[in-house]
Amino acid sequence: MMMENGLSMEYGDGYMEQEEEWEREGLLDPAWEKQQKKTFTAWCNSHLRKAGTSIDNIDEDFRNGLKLMLLLEVISGETLPKPDRGKMRFHKIANVNKALDFIASKGVHLVSIGAEEIVDGNLKMTLGMIWTIILRFAIQDISVEEMTAKEGLLLWCQRKTAPYKNVNVQNFHLSFKDGLAFCALIHRHRPDLIDYSKLSKDNPLENLNTAFDVAEKYLDIPRMLDPDDLINTPKPDERAIMTYVSCYYHAFQGAQQAETAANRICKVLKVNQENERLMEEYERLASDLLEWIRRTMPWLNSRQADNSLAGVQKKLEEYRTYRRKHKPPRVEQKAKLETNFNTLQTKLRLSNRPAYLPTEGKTVADISNAWKGLELAEKAFEEWLLAETMRLERLEHLAQKFKHKADAHEDWTRGKEEMLQSQDFRQCKLNELKALKKKHEAFESDLAAHQDRVEQIAAIAQELNTLEYHDCISVNSRCQRICDQWDRLGALTQRRRTALDEAERILEKIDILHLEFAKRAAPFNNWLDGTREDLVDMFIVHTMEEIQGLIQAHDQFKATLGEADKEFNLIVNLVREVESIVKQHQIPGGLENPYTTLTANEMTRKWSDVRQLVPQRDQTLANELRKQQNNEMLRRQFAEKANIVGPWIERQMDAVTAIGMGLQGSLEDQLHRLKEYEQAVYAYKPNIEELEKIHQAVQESMIFENRYTNYTMETLRVGWEQLLTSINRNINEVENQILTRDSKGISQEQLNEFRSSFNHFDKNRTGRLSPEEFKSCLVSLGYSIGKDRQGEMDFQRILAVVDPNSTGYVHFDAFLDFMTRESTDTDTAEQVIDSFRILAAD
């Protein structure tokens, strides 16, 4: 990095500034530009020919950016973004910018070099850009004793030419004019190509042509310099010479041993960089997932609502949206997090690095515990929502029932207190007094019949209080008014009866027919009132059995209407008989019934109301029956789909588990089958979504139980998520096993043998072995473990390797890692150190 930064500052940013300074001081030789143009063109063509092309004019052929991008791809071995094929100026600028961006991505800062100048054919800018590319890709990696690229290349030349007479390399311009330095470099590495003893310092043109011809013919280094230009120029351009000399350096520094050592170091560095990236990605994903869980938990743990059915239904809809939209991406994020963690640990083991320990609070166990807490909170939250919905629905029903009964009772009691406090009996005749007494008796009968209704009203109010109805204050206030009034009516009734009994000793005559009417009319009227209340009474049911019970009760009631019709006709006939007697005998005021306020017309009206309410009740029950039949259909639809989806998920889980045992073909076959299962599972997802829609309809219809299936939506969701997690985990494990196999060079047969032995002793298919099972497994693979004290000590050392946390179990990944290390060679620390020693030439 020190070399690269130094290079960038010295030759990248300052290229144009250096040119301008030399030009001001008169040091810039016009021949340099000519030399650079020829040298840089030859250098570019030495690489472009690998792609089957070349350039003729360096300031023209790079203007559209296409060959410039091709040059960078050839010398870097990387692929640049797809170029724009248009011929407009903005297309060319876009292509050149892609090339400049790629150069900048390699740590080179380009100052004063813009795409517009390259497109316009600015030779100075084009040469500056090519020089920057040469520095970065041909000279930058030349470093001797931690010097910069230029100093390192110069020192390399000095060391290689030190033994040669008449060669004194001090710079990259005058030191190479006579050609001897070029010949010395070739002779030092390939003495068979040049006879250095026959060369003379007095023949620079011959020396240069000899070096350039040999380099082009035998070293594949094209002519990049013109011997005449070098000789006739007082001070040749050092960039041109450095470019040409760097080709010598690369041509002679390609020994197989150095390449092997360098590749090994690059491999180690690349693995370390990838591991660092995986660690950073794990920390980022873990922090994001844990933060999301932390933000979500207070909402799931909240049990606050406005105590209304609409408010709870709104919360239920919010929860459904959370399950459909917000949670699925987090499930995928959790799976990716676990996959990255397992891959990282496998790569660390393969590179003999310590296991990765996440920062505090972000371990896999922490994430798993947080996720379990989230799932428990979800379950509790949904159960609370459903229970609250049922409770509030019942509360609304009870509140309506209370209002209906209270309205009916208050209608009945209206005017009763004034009637009971009246002193009208004191001015009545005997028959009028007797009528008043009979009327009062009828009222007492009516009052007793209403006792039941008052108790029902009080019971409903008590239940509303117990269930914490949101408007309990008004309910309690109204209930108290009714009870207080009921107590007053009882007291007033008793007082009036006492007064009538006192007057009865004097008044004796009684109208039998009116009395009979009053006696029959009062209970029948109560029956009519009660029947009308029952026929309009609201109800709530949840099953077919409940609605069928109501229909059966209603049918039984309709069977009693015949007897009621007889009673009605009997009561009406009493009135008609009175009317007949009054008409016959012309009794003044005889039509007035002193014993009751009920009339035949009122009874007829109520009876007519009852007859009309019966078919209305039939229709209400029929509507509810259809509703319950629809609910039953929804139950069957959900059960039919759930009974298919549930077993399918279980079969897929069993199949994935079987593949995970590792005995079904090669690892590639297992990975292929697992990915086929993964595709099949994602293709099956519409069935889950269809089931979710049916489940939503079930919940919206307030259906809380289903006897046709043992599966619930929650169990199917959990099963689905577990299936996805199992497939991802098994794919990750197989990929890690392939990575282990390929990196360690073990054969498929060895891997199958390891897996077969492990599975043989894993009797319960738990994916882990106890110490004794592990010892037996090692013995079955030919591993010699003595039964003496030394053998036990050896086994304990092995256990410490495969079970570093002393969990008491050996998992297959640790077992495979141990067996592959026992069976294959690895890049040990000593090998890496030897590689550095080779590169540094001791």
Side-chain angles (χ1 to χ4, degrees), residues 20-38:
E20 293 171 358
E21 180 181 352
W22 288 346
E23 193 171 42
R24 286 194 303 269
E25 296 176 1
L27 300 177
L28 185 61
D29 191 338
W32 288 3
E33 188 171 88
K34 176 183 177 183
Q35 293 175 10
Q36 287 183 21
K37 183 175 181 180
K38 180 175 182 179

Side-chain angles (χ1 to χ4, degrees), residues 613-625:
L613 288 173
V614 168
Q616 294 177 11
R617 185 70 168 183
D618 289 337
Q619 185 62 42
T620 301
L621 293 172
N623 291 339
E624 185 61 28
L625 178 61

Side-chain angles (χ1 to χ4, degrees), residues 535-546:
L535 289 174
V536 299
D537 189 27
M538 292 179 293
F539 58 86
I540 181 170
V541 295
H542 294 97
T543 65
M544 287 289 296
E545 290 78 8
E546 292 176 348

Side-chain angles (χ1 to χ4, degrees), residues 120-177:
D120 292 337
N122 187 316
L123 178 60
K124 181 180 294 187
M125 292 296 179
T126 303
L127 292 175
M129 176 188 66
I130 298 301
W131 172 241
T132 301
I133 294 174
I134 294 172
L135 282 173
R136 172 60 181 83
F137 295 100
I139 301 178
Q140 173 180 311
D141 57 347
I142 300 174
S143 178
V144 180
E145 296 181 355
E146 298 185 355
M147 293 183 175
T148 62
K150 177 182 178 181
E151 293 169 342
L153 183 60
L154 186 63
L155 181 58
W156 177 78
C157 293
Q158 290 171 345
R159 287 182 175 179
K160 297 298 181 180
T161 60
Y164 292 87
K165 181 178 62 174
N166 296 327
V167 177
N168 183 16
V169 178
Q170 298 297 325
N171 50 56
F172 286 109
H173 37 81
L174 299 179
S175 298
F176 287 84
K177 284 191 65 173

Side-chain angles (χ1 to χ4, degrees), residues 213-252:
D213 290 340
V214 170
E216 185 174 33
K217 183 175 181 181
Y218 297 101
L219 303 180
D220 198 27
I221 300 175
R223 278 179 172 264
M224 298 184 184
L225 300 173
D226 189 320
D228 293 329
D229 291 341
L230 291 179
I231 294 173
N232 297 327
T233 302
K235 183 180 180 182
D237 177 67
E238 72 171 3
R239 296 178 191 78
I241 295 177
M242 281 182 66
T243 301
Y244 187 62
V245 171
S246 69
C247 295
Y248 281 70
Y249 176 90
H250 289 295
F252 295 135

Side-chain angles (χ1 to χ4, degrees), residues 652-667 670-671 673-674 726 729-731 733-734 737 748 751-769 812-813 815-816:
Q652 303 308 301
M653 185 67 77
D654 292 340
V656 171
T657 302
I659 295 174
M661 297 306 296
L663 296 178
Q664 300 185 8
S666 65
L667 289 177
Q670 296 171 28
L671 182 61
R673 292 187 63 193
L674 284 171
S726 177
R729 183 173 61 251
N730 278 282
I731 288 176
E733 289 177 358
V734 172
Q737 291 175 25
Q748 183 64 42
L751 194 61
N752 290 342
E753 183 182 7
F754 296 158
R755 170 57 83 175
S756 176
S757 298
F758 187 92
N759 289 346
H760 175 76
F761 292 97
D762 183 15
K763 305 296 184 183
N764 297 327
R765 297 296 184 261
T766 60
R768 61 188 187 184
L769 300 179
F812 181 72
D813 286 345
F815 169 78
L816 178 61

Side-chain angles (χ1 to χ4, degrees), residues 75-86:
I75 63 178
S76 69
E78 298 179 24
T79 301
L80 272 69
K82 186 176 180 181
D84 294 350
R85 292 296 178 179

Side-chain angles (χ1 to χ4, degrees), residues 296-359:
T296 305
M297 287 296 288
W299 174 65
L300 291 175
N301 292 328
S302 173
R303 296 296 182 269
Q304 294 182 353
D306 59 1
N307 210 22
S308 67
L309 184 60
V312 173
Q313 289 174 339
K314 180 180 179 182
K315 278 186 171 291
L316 186 59
E317 185 59 33
E318 291 174 352
Y319 179 73
R320 292 187 186 124
T321 302
Y322 158 79
R323 290 309 301 258
R324 286 195 309 268
K325 296 182 179 179
H326 300 301
K327 188 181 179 186
R330 299 298 177 173
V331 174
E332 295 177 2
Q333 183 179 1
K334 178 174 177 290
K336 181 179 180 182
L337 189 67
E338 294 173 352
T339 299
N340 288 359
F341 182 83
N342 293 336
T343 301
L344 174 60
Q345 298 294 41
T346 300
K347 288 187 176 182
L348 289 174
R349 286 198 305 271
L350 295 176
S351 58
N352 297 321
R353 295 288 303 277
Y356 168 60
L357 182 62
T359 57

